[in-house]
Amino acid sequence: MSFLVLFLLSLAPLFHSSSPLPYPYNTSFHIDCGSSTPSTDSYNISWLPDKFFTGGSTSVVSEPLHFHLQHEKTLRYFPLSSGKKNCYNIPLPAGRYYIRTFTVYDNYDGKSHSPSFDASVEGTLVFSWRSPWPESLTRDGAYSDLFAFVKDGQLDLCFYSIATNPPVIASLEVVQIDPLSYNSAQTGDSYILVNYGRLSPGSSQWGPGFTSDPDAFGRSWQSDSDYRAGKSESAKVITTKEKITGTEKAPNYFPMKLYQSAVTIEGRLEYELPVDAKLDYLVWFHFAEIDSTVKKAGERVFDVLVNDKNVSRVDILKEVGSFAAYSLNYTEKNLSSSVLNVKLSPVAGAPLICGLENYAMVSADLATVPEQVVAMKALKDSLCVPDRMGWNGDPCAPTDWDAWEGVTCHTNKNGTGLVITQIELGSQGLKGYISEQISLLSNLINLNLSTNSLDGTLPIGLGLKSLARLDLSDNQFSGSIPESLTSSNLQLVRLNNNLLEGRVPEELYSVGVHGGTIDLSGNKGLCGVPPLPDCPLFWENGRLSKGGKIAIGLSCFLFVAVLLLVIYLFCIRRGRNDYDFGLPSDLISVAAKRNRYQRQKSLMLLEMESQHAKGLPSVPLNPH
C-alpha cells in the first residue's frame, strides 16, 4: 500500500502559557460505513449510520469477533455494477480537515482475494492499495489519515476500481481543524499532508478510538518501537505526570500526553521510516525536558539529522526550559529512497525525543473548472446516466484516473484547470433530455448521444462555437432545429431518425455544401431545403410560420389604416355641408303661429282683390 498527498505542514513555535485555549471548531462526522444504525463506542464517540455515498453495497467482515469496535466490523464495497468511480460526498463548511479511514478486507466476500484500488481526496490521489495485501493488513485492516483543505462546501472522497476489484471502506472520520496548523500560512492551502508515521516514543498507541486520551484534531499516535533502528532498540523510556507548558495551543493543539513520555539513549538515537520515493516529506520533531536531573542549558545537546543532513542543533533547556514543549520541522525534498532516516546524534549528554511525525506532501491535482462541473452534473441528471458508468466526483480528476466513462478532458489554455472536450454516450440506454446547462461546456468539440431514447427539444445552448461534431441520431427529439446551431463550426451533423419538424436553417444545411456531413433523414416534419419538401407558406411546426405572422401583421396594419381613412373622410364631409342645427321647442312654436297669420293675411288680400275686380264697394280694413 502506498500513500499520496496534497497539503503542507511546517514548523510552528508553541506558546508557553499554562492555560489551554478552548478549541473553536466543532464540525465532525464519524461514519460507520456499511452500518444502518447509529452507535456510540466505548470512547464515547458517536457514529452515524452509513450515508453520503454514491453507490455500492454493504457487508460484514468474515470474523466480526476478531474486531473490538463496531465500526470496524461492517464495510461498504463498490462492485463494478456501481461504476469504476464511487465517492463519499460530505457537505462541509470551507476549511481544513483531518480525515481518517479504516480499510479492511478480512475475506468478507469469501474469495480470498484482497482488492486493488485507489482513493482520492478533493480530486487528488492519496492512497493506493494493491493486491495481495500483507497478511496482517488483510486480516486486521489499517487506519490511514491525512490533512486536507475543503474549499467548495463538499468533501469528495472517491474510490477507483483497478481491473474488476471492488474498493472497500469500513469507517470514515472527518474533523475540522485549525486552517493555520502545521504552518500552512507559509506552505499554502494547495497541499494534502498524508501521514507516513505519527510516533509517540515511550508509549503504546493512544488517541481517539484507541484510548480515552484526547487529541483536539482526532489524531492517533502509535508506539515508536517498530521504527527504531540499530542499537536504538534498547533506548530507555522516561515518563512524567508533571504538567507540560506550551501544549494544547493554536494552531496545532498538540496534546500534553505527547510530551509526558520520551526515549533517550547513550549514544545515537536512530529511526527508519518507510516512505514512497519521489515525494517531498515534512518531518515534525517534538521535545520536552522531562528529566529533572538535567538542570541547566548545555547539559543535553544533540544534532538532528535527516538522511544524514544536519537539520538543527537542539538544547531543550536553552530553548524553552524544563517541562515545556518544543517543536521544530524540516522538509525533505524529492526523496530518492524508500526509507527516511532520522538520527539524533549526541553533542553533550544523551539525546531525547517525545514525538516524531512524518507527512508526504503532494501538490493538489488539477480539477475540472467549476462551471463545467455544474454542466456535467446537470447532464448526469437530465440524461439519466446509469450508475454503472461511475459519473461521481470530479468529471476529470484525478488526472491519474480515466475521466467519467464516455468523457474526454484536456487542460485549459492557461493550465489552471481541466475542461471537457468530448462526450461519447452512443447506445447507452439513456432516457432523458439534454439540459440547457450544456451551454457551459465551452470547449466541447464532439457530442455523440446517438441511439438512445432521449426526447424533448434541442436546447438553444447546443450552439457552441467549439462544437465540430454533433450526432443525435436515432432518438426521439421533437420541435425545431435551433437557429443557434448555425453559429457553431460544425463539420458533422446527424439528426436523422428523430421527430424534428419545421424549417431547417439554410446556414446549417450548408455544412454539406462545404465538405462536411449532414443527415436529417427520418424527420417527417422537416422542410425548407432540397431534398426536403417546401415549407407551408403560413403554417409551420403545427403553428403559424414566421412568414404567416408577418402577413397577418401587415393585413392588420392595412385594415386599421383603411378604417382610419374612412372615418377621417366622413368627418370632413359633414363639417363642410351640414348646418341644420336644432332649435328650442318654444321658438318653433312662435314661428309656426307667425306663419299661420301670414298665410291668413295673404288669403284675405287675395279675396279683396278678387271682389274689387268684380266692382264691389271697397270696405276699409279698419272702420271706425
Side-chain angles (χ1 to χ4, degrees), residues 39 89 118 144 156 159 169 181 192 226 246 262 266 296 327 341 360 412 416 460 501-502 519 574 584 593 605:
S39 63
N89 305 128
D118 289 338
S144 307
D156 292 337
F159 304 90
I169 181 172
S181 58
I192 291 176
D226 292 336
E266 295 295 333
K296 61 182 180 179
S327 296
N341 182 269
N412 60 6
T416 58
I460 296 175
E501 56 186 357
D519 188 349
R574 286 181 59 87
K593 292 177 180 180
L605 290 174

Side-chain angles (χ1 to χ4, degrees), residues 371-392:
E371 62 269 20
Q372 298 208 10
V373 173
V374 171
M376 293 302 291
K377 289 183 176 180
L379 282 175
K380 175 187 175 181
D381 293 336
S382 71
L383 298 175
C384 301
V385 176
D387 291 343
R388 59 178 170 77
M389 299 193 72
W391 278 33
N392 300 304

Side-chain angles (χ1 to χ4, degrees), residues 221-428:
W221 300 81
Q222 64 187 117
S223 170
D224 70 325
S225 58
D226 292 336
Y227 302 94
R228 294 183 209 153
K231 296 181 180 180
S232 299
E233 295 178 3
S234 60
K236 175 185 175 183
V237 175
I238 58 175
T239 61
T240 184
K241 292 184 180 180
E242 294 288 332
K243 186 174 182 179
I244 309 299
T245 61
T247 62
E248 310 287 354
K249 301 298 183 183
N252 296 303
Y253 293 90
F254 291 123
M256 185 181 296
K257 180 179 174 63
L258 175 64
Y259 298 92
Q260 290 179 321
S261 66
V263 295
T264 183
I265 191 172
E266 295 295 333
R268 178 180 295 171
L269 183 60
E270 184 175 357
Y271 291 94
E272 289 186 349
L273 306 177
V275 293
D276 290 329
K278 299 181 180 179
L279 294 176
D280 295 346
Y281 288 86
L282 179 64
V283 188
W284 278 74
F285 303 89
H286 302 280
F287 308 103
E289 185 53 77
I290 59 175
D291 185 350
S292 58
T293 63
V294 179
K295 299 183 179 299
K296 61 182 180 179
E299 290 186 0
R300 190 193 304 276
V301 182
F302 53 91
D303 289 332
V304 177
L305 296 89
V306 176
N307 286 351
D308 295 323
K309 299 174 186 175
N310 198 322
V311 172
S312 177
R313 176 161 289 185
V314 176
D315 185 337
I316 304 171
L317 281 178
K318 180 179 179 182
E319 296 291 342
V320 295
S322 61
F323 297 98
Y326 174 63
S327 296
L328 62 87
N329 70 76
Y330 169 77
T331 300
E332 177 72 7
K333 299 284 188 177
N334 195 25
L335 189 64
S336 58
S337 69
S338 59
V339 174
L340 183 74
N341 182 269
V342 174
K343 296 175 184 176
L344 305 184
S345 184
V347 175
L352 172 148
I353 188 168
C354 294
L356 179 62
E357 299 176 83
N358 183 34
Y359 297 98
M361 304 188 312
V362 175
S363 177
D365 202 349
L366 289 177
T368 306
V369 296
E371 62 269 20
Q372 298 208 10
V373 173
V374 171
M376 293 302 291
K377 289 183 176 180
L379 282 175
K380 175 187 175 181
D381 293 336
S382 71
L383 298 175
C384 301
V385 176
D387 291 343
R388 59 178 170 77
M389 299 193 72
W391 278 33
N392 300 304
D394 190 297
C396 302
T399 53
D400 304 81
W401 301 353
D402 293 333
W404 286 1
E405 186 173 342
V407 176
T408 302
C409 305
H410 287 92
T411 306
N412 60 6
K413 290 183 179 179
N414 55 16
T416 58
L418 302 171
V419 295
I420 287 86
T421 57
Q422 180 171 290
I423 300 176
E424 281 277 359
L425 296 178
S427 303
Q428 293 296 333

